Amino acid sequence: MLEAGQIILGVYALLLILGGIMGKLKAGSTVSLIAGSLSGLAALFALRTSLNDPAQGFLIGGMLAVLLTGVFLSRLIRTRKVMPAGIVLVLSAVVAISLFVLREKLVVPM
């Protein structure tokens, strides 16, 4: 359970950073590069935090994913382009739900 959340955070961080790089390479978007890198670093921070305090790390990662879900929902509505907005929207929503479910199991053991 604990390792699953940390793997989710690590993969999410990697995908955010790679997404920013792809935005720069394909569209020449420096904003994508910066936003993807900062978001990926925030996910890595959540991962690092989860090594010592899993509940806190999963909370930070979940809140980041909720924030990015909102950003990419707005972008999808505005642009109506599934790539990348729809993909990152779904990914972020799945990450947020997964991390909050895992955190709940840590905070309130069954």
Side-chain angles (χ1 to χ4, degrees):
M1 173 175 61
L2 181 62
E3 294 83 13
Q6 292 167 340
I7 291 169
I8 289 168
L9 279 170
V11 170
Y12 188 51
L14 181 64
L15 291 174
L16 290 171
I17 293 167
L18 289 175
I21 293 169
M22 290 302 295
K24 176 64 173 171
L25 294 176
K26 294 221 177 228
S29 174
T30 303
V31 172
S32 290
L33 178 62
I34 294 168
S37 297
L38 291 176
S39 298
L41 287 173
L44 286 174
F45 173 75
L47 173 60
R48 174 79 168 99
T49 302
S50 77
L51 297 176
N52 296 320
D53 186 355
Q56 185 70 23
F58 293 172
L59 177 63
I60 293 167
M63 294 302 290
L64 171 67
V66 167
L67 174 69
L68 291 176
T69 297
V71 167
F72 282 96
L73 176 60
S74 169
R75 191 169 294 165
L76 178 65
I77 291 169
R78 191 175 62 248
T79 65
R80 301 203 193 292
K81 293 183 181 178
V82 174
M83 188 64 180
I87 303 298
V88 181
L89 167 65
V90 171
L91 173 67
S92 294
V94 168
V95 167
I97 291 167
S98 300
L99 290 175
F100 285 133
V101 167
L102 289 170
R103 182 179 189 277
E104 185 67 24
K105 289 180 181 182
L106 289 172
V107 174
V108 182
M110 296 192 176

